[in-house]
């Protein structure tokens, strides 16, 4: 991808880019209140949803065109730059007319190459900053594909927003971060600014700090944080929005690590790689724990049905499939075969324990 640097115009070299503002623009007063607070914190980009993609009809779908007029006024009065979501060519046209500096493609749009292409076509010949949120499903190529479509349409001021991935699995996150997918994008395109969206990853106020810190520790270039003057009464995403006062505290407490100095380049790069490994290992262990819980359930089920712990057919299937999957992922099949012997041993240990557990006497 051919990229042009745009991010340094909106941030100081040592600090991450900050984008703050409400999930949705709700009224001129609400927008102006956040704008003034955000500006006083030294933040230069504000977000505000104008058209809201909602899972169910009859939810608040954004104020549309009306909100663009409010945004224009706030821009004039404060000099803040704005970022809004666009989901079709008409949105692009209206956003450009209103002088909005940054457009973003939402998670529900990134999944659809037809719509992304229509947006890219609408942007042909227009010099805008465009950020692409990750698709709702964990597929890196869709994310990259959307960025490439925009790039081919001539957009060189690009960035990626990591907002987490939707999953059937129960998780403490609204959208599972699956950090390794974003890190893979960063590895493939180190020059592409990567911005975290802790609000949509967390889904609740209490985890905004933790997710933001993790993103900064992973050397993200920026954070987009939903900020509302009265979050409990927000018309969308109430649980995850924070007040400007809370935002100020979070920003004060966040640790921004030093960038590598040139003479210590080697050591710093090594450290960065090790940090990625640490985070991946944490995720691996979380996955192992989820796997162990499933193993326990299977153990209980086998016990109820009086079936042996060891099932030869299943073991053969694991031994055949996993090394094959490893090959496809360019991981050594022998290594994966050995790894699964250990994992399987542990599954047997867990299930045997369950089998041998005498049920608690009834009181
Ligand atoms: C949003 O930013 O308010 C939004 C709708 O985001 P996403 O596309 O990540 O769901
Ligand atoms: Mn939102």
């Amino acid at each position: 991808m051919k990229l042009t640097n745009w991010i340094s115009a909106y941030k100081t070299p040592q600090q991450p880019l900050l984008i703050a503002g409400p999930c949705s623009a709700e009224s001129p007063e609400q927008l102006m209140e956040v704008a003034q607070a955000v500006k006083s914190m030294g933040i230069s980009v504000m977000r505000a949803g104008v058209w809201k993609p909602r899972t169910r009809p009859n939810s608040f779908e954004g104020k549309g065109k009306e909100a663009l007029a409010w945004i224009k006024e706030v821009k004039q009065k404060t000099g803040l730059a704005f970022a809004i979501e666009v989901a079709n060519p008409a949105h692009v046209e209206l956003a450009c007319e209103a002088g909005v500096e940054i457009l973003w493609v939402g998670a529900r749009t990134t999944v659809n190459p037809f719509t992304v292409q229509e947006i890219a076509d609408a942007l042909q010949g227009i010099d805008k900053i465009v950020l692409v949120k990750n698709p709702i499903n964990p597929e890196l190529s869709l994310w990259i594909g959307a960025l490439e479509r925009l790039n081919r349409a001539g957009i060189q001021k690009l960035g990626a927003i990591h907002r987490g991935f939707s999953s059937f699995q129960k998780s403490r996150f609204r959208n599972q971060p699956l950090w390794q997918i974003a890190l893979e994008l960063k590895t493939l395109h180190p020059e592409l600014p990567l911005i975290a969206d802790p609000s949509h990853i967390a889904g609740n106020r209490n985890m905004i700090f933790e997710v933001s810190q993790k993103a900064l520790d992973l050397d993200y270039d920026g954070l987009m944080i939903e900020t509302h003057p009265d979050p409990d009464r927000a018309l969308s995403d109430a649980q995850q929005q924070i007040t400007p006062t809370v935002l100020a505290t979070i920003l004060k407490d966040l640790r921004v690590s030093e960038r590598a100095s040139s003479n210590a380049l080697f050591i710093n790069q090594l450290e960065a790689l090790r940090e990625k490994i640490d985070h991946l290992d944490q995720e691996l262990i979380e996955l192992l724990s989820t796997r162990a819980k499933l193993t326990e359930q299977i153990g209980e089920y086998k016990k109820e049905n009086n079936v042996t712990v060891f099932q030869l057919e299943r073991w053969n299937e694991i031994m055949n499939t996993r090394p094959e999957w490893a090959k496809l992922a360019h991981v050594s099949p022998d290594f994966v075969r050995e790894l699964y012997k250990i994992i399987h041993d542990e599954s047997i240990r867990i299930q045997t324990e369950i089998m041998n557990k005498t049920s608690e006497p009834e009181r």
Side-chain angles (χ1 to χ4, degrees):
M1 279 190 282
K2 196 164 185 293
L3 299 173
T4 309
N5 179 300
W6 56 271
I7 200 165
S8 44
Y10 295 100
K11 72 179 202 70
T12 56
Q14 295 80 22
Q15 296 296 324
L17 169 74
L18 292 166
I19 305 176
C23 177
S24 311
E26 297 171 2
S27 71
E29 296 76 26
Q30 172 234 26
L31 266 197
M32 189 53 94
E33 193 176 339
V34 184
Q36 276 159 353
V38 154
K39 197 177 172 183
S40 72
M41 285 176 227
I43 294 171
S44 56
V45 187
M46 191 162 152
R47 64 154 282 153
V50 169
W51 301 279
K52 300 303 298 174
R54 304 313 298 274
T55 309
R56 307 278 299 272
N58 298 326
S59 313
F60 173 66
E61 295 197 318
K63 294 283 185 182
K65 241 175 145 171
E66 195 186 359
L68 285 173
W70 310 334
I71 288 177
K72 242 169 130 171
E73 197 176 329
V74 172
K75 279 167 55 57
Q76 268 164 17
K77 290 205 173 131
T78 61
L80 287 171
F82 264 79
I84 74 167
E85 174 173 353
V86 291
N88 61 42
H91 294 168
V92 170
E93 197 183 324
L94 290 166
C96 291
E97 256 173 48
V100 169
E101 290 83 355
I102 303 175
L103 312 181
W104 87 75
V105 175
R108 290 161 196 78
T109 306
T110 308
V111 286
N112 185 342
F114 288 130
T115 315
V116 172
Q117 192 56 54
E118 283 176 12
I119 293 172
D121 292 343
L123 281 161
Q124 192 93 38
I126 298 176
D127 183 23
K128 279 283 168 210
I129 299 163
V130 186
L131 309 178
V132 179
K133 286 205 175 195
N134 67 256
I136 43 181
N137 55 321
E139 202 178 326
L140 177 60
S141 53
L142 263 180
W143 198 0
I144 294 178
L147 288 156
E148 284 171 347
R149 284 177 196 278
L150 290 158
N151 199 228
R152 282 170 65 168
I155 303 293
Q156 293 186 5
K157 295 175 183 163
L158 282 171
I161 304 177
H162 176 206
R163 51 81 78 192
F165 302 87
S166 160
S167 161
F168 284 124
Q169 265 181 28
K170 263 221 169 109
S171 146
R172 62 196 186 95
F173 301 100
R174 177 180 178 191
N175 291 294
Q176 287 196 319
L178 306 179
W179 297 98
Q180 77 276 15
I181 295 182
L183 292 179
E184 178 88 25
L185 177 66
K186 195 175 166 64
T187 311
L188 291 170
H189 296 284
E191 69 293 6
L192 179 76
L194 178 60
I195 296 163
D197 175 351
S199 308
H200 290 89
I201 290 177
N204 71 75
R205 279 165 221 161
N206 304 333
M207 282 158 61
I208 304 289
F209 176 81
E210 173 196 334
V211 176
S212 302
Q213 185 62 67
K214 179 138 178 177
L216 294 187
D217 289 345
L218 293 175
D219 197 22
Y220 278 47
D221 302 283
L223 300 171
M224 176 154 101
I225 301 182
E226 287 189 337
T227 313
H228 190 289
D230 189 358
D232 285 332
R233 282 196 221 155
L235 299 180
S236 56
D237 289 351
Q239 283 157 316
Q240 70 196 32
Q241 302 207 59
I242 55 173
T243 61
T245 316
V246 172
L247 177 65
T249 315
I250 288 178
L251 296 182
K252 183 171 66 57
D253 293 345
L254 280 174
R255 182 184 65 249
V256 182
S257 306
E258 293 277 317
R259 281 273 159 82
S261 71
S262 57
N263 59 358
L265 195 62
F266 170 68
I267 297 168
N268 279 310
Q269 278 182 350
L270 191 66
E271 256 172 27
L273 289 169
R274 284 182 177 155
E275 208 161 83
K276 285 182 192 172
I277 287 192
D278 286 349
H279 288 291
L280 278 179
D281 284 352
Q282 273 175 13
E283 278 179 24
L284 269 177
I285 290 169
E286 270 171 35
L287 283 176
L288 285 174
S289 148
T290 311
R291 195 183 194 284
K293 285 191 190 105
L294 289 172
T295 303
E296 275 171 33
Q297 278 180 31
I298 290 180
E300 302 281 0
Y301 200 55
K302 284 180 183 164
K303 186 177 183 176
E304 269 168 44
N305 289 278
N306 205 23
V307 167
T308 55
V309 166
F310 183 67
Q311 299 275 322
L312 182 62
E313 252 181 47
R314 173 65 176 159
W315 175 233
N316 282 337
E317 185 198 329
I318 290 181
M319 271 306 164
N320 288 331
T321 51
R322 275 50 171 177
E324 281 304 317
W325 297 348
K327 251 192 249 166
L328 293 175
H330 305 291
V331 176
S332 150
D334 289 341
F335 161 63
V336 165
R337 204 172 285 114
E338 288 313 302
L339 188 61
Y340 270 90
K341 284 183 190 162
I342 302 172
I343 291 178
H344 189 248
D345 273 355
E346 173 66 357
S347 295
I348 290 194
R349 187 193 65 76
I350 292 172
Q351 293 190 23
T352 311
E353 229 176 42
I354 289 172
M355 286 287 182
N356 295 335
K357 201 172 58 187
T358 44
S359 41
E360 302 230 339
E362 279 185 28
R363 294 185 197 193

